[in-house]
Amino acid sequence: MEILFKIENLNLSYGDNHVLKDINMDLYKNQVTAFIGPSGCGKSTLLRCFNRMNDLIDNCKINGILEYENQDVNSIPAMELRTKVGMVFQSPNPFPMSIFDNIAYGPRCQGIKNKQTLNTIVINALKKAALYDEVKDRLKDNALGLSGGQQQRLCIARCIAMEPSVILMDEPTSALDPISTLKIEELIFELKKDYTIIIVTHNMGQAARVSDYTAFFLLGEVVEYAETSNLFKNPKNKKTEDYITGRFG
Amino acid sequence: MKFKKIINGFLNGIKHPVSTFKNAVRKSKKNSRKIKDGIINGVTYLFSTVGIVILLAILIFIFKNGFSTLSFDLLTDNYHAKIYNTLLVEDFTFHEYEDPNLKDVYFSSQWGVGFIDTLDNEGVDIVEIAYIDKLSPFMNVIDYGTHEYTSIKVGQQFVKAILDGPNGEFVSVLPKYGAEAVAEGFDLGVIITDMTTSSAGGGIRGSIITTIYLILLTLAIALPLGIGAAIYLSEYAPVNRVTNTIRSMIDMISGIPSIVFGFVGSAVFIPFMNGTIGSDGGSIASGALTLAIILLPVIIRTTEEGLRVVPQSFRNASLALGASETQTTFKVVLPNALGGILAAVLLSIGRIIGESAALIYAVGTSIKDQIAINQSSTSLAVHIWSVMAGDNPNFELSSAISIVILLVVFILSTIVKLVTKRLNKKVEK
């Protein structure tokens, strides 16, 4: 399998707070990788390293190697990297503009002005995010009028519109009801044909359902990283077992 | 009954000494707290009542004094009355004129003209021309000064007239005896040898126009500077000692009395404007520059507040889509901070309308009718100052102008509230 992200001895600290400790792992292309672990274990922080969102945080120090397609992420301009590595956030955060403008925002920022092109991009993205049928008659309506689940799928569509190769998802369903969660999970299943997906989740069932690989984080370290079926059936580490069986966390 | 209760209480006390004591303590504590709360609440109510009564009294004073003077004419008339000296054309003819029987109008059937007693914009008794028949000689007269054909117009103030009677006698008509006497005086004459009328004066048209100019010019200068500074401080500036010092300086500047800006501004901007746009002394342009400086802190802080409340998640979403920081600021953050910017604009307009001390130096105090940006004139607030500063302070006119100012500020603040409410709703939804 092709390695997409290569992480070697990655250390990250916010000021004096050492958040990530000697992370070593390879993430594979066109696979869904889930990061699980208790709150504050650094899984979201690692996720934000992939598209350099940590750059925005003052006094954040990163040491070690993080390569995207054999290229150091810091050598790729952040804006360019973020068009290839898209991100979906914890709570749906559509812009307070129309559904169309939300999805066209990214392409427009890249300088695409042609209406026909934008139209195609928007419709394709909505179709891929399984939202098109629900909103096709009201593309001009404000996106904030959509339900939470629809808003999150809109955010996924907005991300897809940039034609990234990776989609990072930071607890994408934690603010959603069970039915919306199910829809997003189905969507992830569809999307993994075309995209590499890295998902942070608190829901172990979700990790088991949607991911191919799972990494268990604890206190800034990767305790165990393996194929999902292996990790959940025979965890090698006692801590992993305790966590997935719900004994702590 | 009461006596029985006390006896019972006493007996109870002997039977259960401890619990009775505790109950008594609790009761007395409860009572003293009640009294304390009562006093505190009473004082609060008293103070708030006094405050509200004072504010209401000021409003009532202004409306009572100014309401009768306030009229549409006051808003549209010039301050300086224009005097018309006129002569009749030589070949004028008399006709039969019908009295239109208007209320309070005294009609001169000889000349076909009606007069009415009224007050001018400054509250002085005058006689006004209320009606002119279409065929009246007044419709076709010669202006003494310009030698041009013109007509006397309804609404002009009657100043004086000298007529010749049918037997060559001399009739002088003056407005001081009222409209009835004026009409009768005119009926005695057959030829008008000299007549003076004037347009209504004492209006605040010039000051209204000056105020509008000041608002537009000041905002045109201060908004780009202020919003730019706010964007820098909120979006780009690093949080360190320097920017924190700048922030506290801005806060400090907004506390400086405006008269300080007035004389500093006039010392700097009046010579500058004299040199660049050829003004002579204070002008609207130098006033607008001074006001812009006064308003900068308000605009910067209000806009910065507006930018700050834009959710961080919008910025993250935009950046994660590969947008640059500049694109994020101008396409996502700024449009969502419109509420704050609008609040800044309307607050500024309120300040401009209300500012007087700074403008006394920078724009001037002599009331004008012909308004130009490189000329001195008065804003509405300074108009009040000018009216009150003379030997005969005019409370009625000042109150009327105050009502105009109050109404404008009230309307603006209502708009601010409505719009910010709407914009906030849009973001929160």
Side-chain angles (χ1 to χ4, degrees), chain A residues 51 53 56 79 82-83 85-87 89 93-97 105-106 108-110 142 144 158-159 162, chain B residues 239 312-325 327-328 331-332 336 425-429:
Chain A
N51 66 345
M53 286 300 273
L56 307 172
M79 280 182 273
R82 287 174 195 152
T83 61
V85 184
M87 189 166 199
F89 294 85
N93 56 353
F95 302 125
M97 34 173 119
Y105 178 84
R108 275 184 182 143
C109 283
Q110 298 303 318
N142 196 315
L144 298 177
R158 189 169 67 180
C159 184
M162 298 302 295
Chain B
V239 180
Q312 191 62 34
S313 67
F314 289 175
R315 294 186 181 86
N316 285 342
S318 169
L319 290 171
L321 286 168
S324 67
E325 280 195 36
Q327 283 172 327
T328 304
K331 286 187 170 186
V332 175
N336 284 302
K425 224 185 211 169
K426 214 171 139 195
V427 174
E428 276 163 16
K429 202 173 152 197

Side-chain angles (χ1 to χ4, degrees), chain B residues 19-57:
Chain B
S19 69
T20 311
F21 175 72
K22 273 186 180 168
N23 272 340
V25 168
R26 200 184 298 150
K27 241 183 193 170
S28 80
K29 261 190 180 170
K30 221 178 179 180
N31 277 339
S32 78
R33 189 167 72 184
K34 242 185 189 168
I35 293 166
K36 265 186 198 165
D37 287 0
I39 291 172
I40 292 171
N41 286 340
V43 170
T44 316
Y45 294 149
L46 184 73
F47 285 175
S48 61
T49 315
V50 169
I52 290 166
V53 165
I54 291 172
L55 290 178
L56 276 180

Side-chain angles (χ1 to χ4, degrees), chain B residues 353-374:
Chain B
I353 294 174
E355 185 55 63
S356 56
L359 297 179
I360 289 172
Y361 292 113
V363 186
T365 55
S366 61
I367 301 161
K368 296 275 174 64
D369 290 319
Q370 301 302 319
I371 307 301
I373 284 172
N374 62 358

